[in-house]
Amino acid sequence: MIDSMLFNLMFIGVLGIVSQWLAWRFRLPAIVIMSIAGLLAGPIFGLINPKEDFGDVYKPIISMAVAIILFEGSLNLDFREVRGLGKPVFRIVTIGAFLAWVLGSLAAHFVAGLSWAVAFVIGGLFIVTGPTVILPLLRQAKLKPRPAAILKWEGIIVDPFGALLAVFAFEIIRFLLSDNVTVLSLLLFFAASLFAVLLGWVSGRGTGFLFEKGHVPEFLKSPVVFVIVLACFTVSDEIAHETGLLAVTAMGITLANMHIASIGDMRHFKENISVLLTSTIFVMLTASLTVKTLLEIFNWQIIAFVLLMLFIVRPLSVWLSTVGTDLSTKEKILVGWIAPRGIVALTVASYFASILLDRGFTDAGILMSLTFALVFSTVCAHGFTIGWLAKKLGLATDERPGVLIVGGSSFSTGIAKTFQELKTPVMIADSSWKRLYTARKAGVPFYRGEVLSEQMDYYLDLTPYEYLIAATELDSYNALVCTTFVPEIGRNNLFQLSLRSQREDDIEDIGNTIGGRILFHQDVTWEELNKRVERGDVFRKTNITEKYTFEAYLEEINENAIILFVLKPSGKIGFFTEEMSPKVEDGDIVVSLMERYKEYDKIQKKISDQREKQLKGKEQKGQT
């Protein structure tokens, strides 16, 4: 291939991002696509070999990427989440994680043939599932809230600690196996670890202080955090090797629990960097594998180890840790099966493999084969079976893509009732009991709380909802809600009512990146919609068929009717917006808001027609 480091970097980045896009487009596990891309580009076709192409900078690139990925994971660890966890989740992330570490280490030693030191290091790392792999699977499978919450918070909480457990296991066992081990050397190790934690805490507190006091401008906050994370990792690692990961994790946890608004504002940048790094690093790691490493995967010891981790270690650790909890047998089966290892496991395993080899642990040479076999097997096995197993166990929601409506009102309740009648999940969210009165009276599901608050993540599961409608009377709030939920729901599925209010404010200069897509058309405001619902207008559902086409429907409806959305047989919803109208086909259901008298006339006509048919039928029977 072309002997250019610049070209190789570009090629790896393209492979990573294209793999992510293909995974999103075809609803496949991203790691599977990235693994295939890396293997094809590396050991199979020999297009690239990052380990040789990058030379001495290969290890530093991997190390810094792991530090940033681990910082990103620890930044999600808010202690308020831990305090609010139920008993099953708490047991799984404590007792379950410890059992998984011990059982996995025993399997690595007695089955895979690793030394005790290497076995306990890799056993600690393999407890990691991680939000980067588990959250896409949860969205794909649409689990019920309870098992989804358990898997979600396990991934978030255990993710930062897997690498830490590996670090401590490595250092302690290295000292214990050393011939010249002394109490002083152990104390120095713990002192270095304590220094790493202190450095991470100071870095986090210092960063938070600078942000809270306004000493860093907004446009520099993300770069400042990025540089401080790298500095924290490098300084700690130079003072005592392998403690850099501990330092950046401590920094992330510190910042997460300072509850600084700026950290939330940087979430999009942090997630984007994480996606970019995980994509490129994963392709680099898989492309650096040799044919020998791939062939080692088919070693009976590695295969036996993977099978033990899949069918014994994970189910047993979950089952034992949840004894005495209110988890049902079906929930234990599902949670005990789903534990995909991902990018963090592979990147950190590569990091430790090189270090262990440098320290004389020759058996660490198979760590990459072992880790890649486990990662690829778990992602494939769990990614392609989670939906099927959840449905078999009755733990998946068979419902269609749902709609979250922000803002309680008469119109919100009316359209929500229509969604209910169409078997579409719906939820109205508002912070006011008064505005939720009509929803509560109509029996529509509701959430009382501020959707922009941090607590919303803990109490409202967004998994069932693929669409969001901001329908409050405040234009600016609607725009803020839509802008905030872009990463979670996607810009194409975010909608809001018309920004044009009765004041006829000039909004032409508002950026097109702010807010959601304008529903219906500009003249249909919040006031207009609620006025029409309160005066008696009704939501009409019309089936489009070959005989009754959408064109015929448009000719029939009154000019004052508002066409709201079209429901596809698949459950997908197409909203009519200011910019475009969805394509309506046979089998679709069109919903519109129209005056009641039109509906009344149609009902009366149908009743009269039915009576005429009945009378004609009786007359015919009488004549015979």
Side-chain angles (χ1 to χ4, degrees):
M1 199 61 185
I2 299 176
D3 187 17
S4 168
M5 186 179 294
L6 179 61
F7 179 85
N8 289 333
L9 281 172
M10 178 278 296
F11 187 60
I12 291 170
V14 169
L15 284 179
I17 299 304
V18 170
S19 298
Q20 290 276 7
W21 181 85
L22 289 173
W24 165 81
R25 179 65 179 82
F26 298 103
R27 294 182 176 272
L28 296 172
I31 296 178
V32 174
I33 308 297
M34 288 187 288
S35 299
I36 295 173
L39 292 175
L40 290 175
I44 295 179
F45 292 114
L47 300 178
I48 54 173
N49 188 339
K51 198 167 187 177
E52 294 182 359
D53 296 337
F54 297 147
D56 293 337
V57 300
Y58 177 78
K59 287 184 179 179
I61 290 175
I62 297 294
S63 299
M64 289 190 294
V66 171
I68 294 168
I69 292 170
L70 196 60
F71 170 76
E72 191 272 338
S74 61
L75 201 57
N76 292 319
L77 187 52
D78 191 331
F79 289 137
R80 295 179 301 180
E81 300 169 14
V82 181
R83 289 195 295 267
L85 291 175
K87 189 176 181 181
V89 183
F90 181 77
R91 289 273 198 91
I92 290 172
V93 301
T94 53
I95 300 174
F98 178 76
L99 289 173
W101 176 39
V102 174
L103 294 174
S105 301
L106 292 175
H109 177 70
F110 290 108
V111 177
L114 298 178
S115 63
W116 282 114
V118 179
F120 270 92
V121 169
I122 205 66
L125 184 59
F126 283 164
I127 70 171
V128 170
T129 57
T132 56
V133 287
I134 197 67
L135 293 182
L137 294 188
L138 296 181
R139 286 193 292 267
Q140 170 190 334
K142 295 186 178 180
L143 300 183
K144 289 184 177 179
R146 183 178 169 93
I150 293 173
L151 292 170
K152 171 188 174 183
W153 293 120
E154 180 196 9
I156 290 176
I157 295 171
V158 174
D159 185 53
F161 291 116
L164 296 184
L165 198 57
V167 170
F168 278 106
F170 168 71
E171 290 294 343
I172 292 174
I173 292 175
R174 183 174 67 87
F175 282 121
L176 292 177
L177 295 179
S178 177
D179 294 333
N180 58 351
V181 61
T182 62
V183 176
L184 179 61
S185 61
L186 284 175
L187 289 176
L188 288 175
F189 163 67
F190 284 112
S193 301
L194 183 61
F195 171 78
V197 173
L198 182 63
L199 178 62
W201 180 82
V202 170
S203 300
R205 296 294 299 184
T207 304
F209 173 81
L210 293 175
F211 287 2
E212 283 184 317
K213 298 301 181 181
H215 297 307
V216 179
E218 291 296 326
F219 74 95
L220 277 181
K221 286 183 177 179
S222 293
V224 164
V225 169
F226 187 81
V227 170
I228 292 177
V229 169
L230 293 182
C232 182
F233 171 79
T234 304
V235 170
S236 180
D237 209 61
E238 288 296 322
I239 293 175
H241 290 298
E242 292 85 53
T243 60
L245 298 179
L246 182 60
V248 295
T249 302
M251 177 181 172
I253 294 174
T254 302
L255 278 172
N257 289 276
M258 290 181 70
H259 309 130
I260 304 171
S262 298
I263 300 301
D265 296 338
M266 289 188 297
R267 183 179 300 170
H268 307 332
F269 171 80
K270 173 176 65 73
E271 291 173 349
N272 292 338
I273 288 294
S274 179
V275 168
L276 181 62
L277 284 176
T278 52
S279 302
T280 54
I281 296 303
F282 201 82
V283 171
M284 283 178 62
L285 290 171
T286 52
S288 297
L289 296 176
T290 62
V291 176
K292 179 184 176 182
T293 301
L294 294 179
L295 293 176
E296 282 180 348
I297 292 175
F298 299 99
N299 184 302
W300 74 267
Q301 291 178 302
I302 292 180
I303 294 175
F305 172 77
V306 171
L307 292 176
L308 275 176
M309 294 294 289
L310 281 170
F311 297 102
I312 302 296
V313 173
R314 170 65 178 184
L316 189 60
S317 62
V318 169
W319 198 276
L320 291 176
S321 64
T322 54
V323 171
T325 65
D326 58 348
L327 273 186
S328 66
T329 302
K330 292 182 178 180
E331 289 172 328
K332 289 180 180 180
I333 292 173
L334 181 65
V335 175
W337 170 243
I338 303 301
R341 277 67 169 189
I343 294 169
V344 172
L346 192 62
T347 51
V348 179
S350 172
Y351 176 80
F352 277 112
S354 60
I355 294 174
L356 288 166
L357 285 171
D358 292 341
R359 296 297 173 90
F361 295 97
T362 57
D363 56 327
I366 69 166
L367 278 190
M368 287 305 295
S369 301
L370 190 71
T371 306
F372 183 77
L374 184 63
V375 168
F376 195 79
S377 300
T378 55
V379 169
C380 288
H382 300 152
F384 291 113
T385 61
I386 183 172
W388 173 84
L389 182 61
K391 289 180 181 178
K392 287 291 183 182
L393 296 174
L395 298 177
T397 57
D398 296 327
E399 298 172 324
R400 299 174 170 185
V403 181
L404 177 63
I405 303 173
V406 179
S409 65
S410 301
F411 170 75
S412 297
T413 301
I415 196 171
K417 285 290 292 182
T418 305
F419 282 125
Q420 277 189 315
E421 294 167 1
L422 294 171
K423 308 300 181 184
T424 297
V426 66
M427 174 81 71
I428 297 179
D430 203 306
S431 59
S432 169
W433 277 111
K434 182 178 180 180
R435 288 191 292 268
L436 288 171
Y437 172 76
T438 56
R440 291 184 284 126
K441 185 178 178 181
V444 174
F446 66 90
Y447 165 75
R448 191 216 174 211
E450 175 53 64
V451 296
L452 297 179
S453 70
E454 295 180 358
Q455 284 73 22
M456 192 276 297
D457 293 332
Y458 314 145
Y459 300 115
L460 180 60
D461 180 21
L462 291 176
T463 303
Y465 309 109
E466 291 191 13
Y467 307 94
L468 183 145
I469 300 175
T472 73
E473 67 274 27
L474 299 175
D475 299 335
S476 56
Y477 183 79
N478 291 341
L480 179 61
V481 167
C482 290
T483 304
T484 302
F485 281 90
V486 166
E488 288 82 3
I489 295 179
R491 194 175 298 278
N492 289 337
N493 290 343
L494 289 167
F495 305 91
Q496 66 182 91
L497 299 183
S498 174
L499 290 174
R500 183 166 296 168
S501 67
Q502 293 178 346
R503 297 187 305 273
E504 296 294 331
D505 294 332
D506 184 8
I507 59 163
E508 294 180 357
D509 294 332
I510 294 180
N512 56 11
T513 60
I514 299 175
R517 302 163 71 183
I518 305 300
L519 278 176
F520 320 134
H521 52 83
Q522 291 283 5
D523 296 331
V524 182
T525 61
W526 181 91
E527 293 86 355
E528 173 68 17
L529 289 168
N530 280 280
K531 186 185 299 181
R532 294 187 61 162
V533 172
E534 289 167 2
R535 80 183 182 192
D537 285 17
V538 295
F539 294 85
R540 176 187 174 188
K541 301 181 289 292
T542 305
N543 291 295
I544 302 301
T545 63
E546 291 183 9
K547 294 182 179 179
Y548 188 67
T549 63
F550 184 58
E551 289 73 18
Y553 169 80
L554 292 176
E555 292 177 1
E556 179 187 305
I557 62 173
N558 187 278
E559 60 180 7
N560 293 324
I562 303 173
I563 305 177
L564 305 177
F565 63 88
V566 57
L567 180 68
K568 300 288 183 180
S570 63
K572 293 290 184 180
I573 302 172
F575 289 94
F576 288 82
T577 67
E578 179 71 18
E579 296 85 8
M580 61 181 296
S581 300
K583 185 179 180 180
V584 182
E585 302 171 321
D586 297 343
D588 295 346
I589 299 175
V590 178
V591 177
S592 58
L593 181 64
M594 58 176 52
E595 297 172 351
R596 177 176 289 274
Y597 71 84
K598 291 285 293 181
E599 287 291 302
Y600 181 79
D601 291 344
K602 287 181 176 293
I603 293 171
Q604 293 300 315
K605 188 176 185 303
K606 287 183 180 179
I607 293 174
S608 63
D609 290 342
Q610 289 175 357
R611 287 177 179 174
E612 287 180 6
K613 289 181 180 179
Q614 291 174 356
L615 289 174
K616 288 180 180 180
K618 290 179 180 180
E619 289 176 357
Q620 290 175 356
K621 287 182 180 180
Q623 291 175 359
T624 56

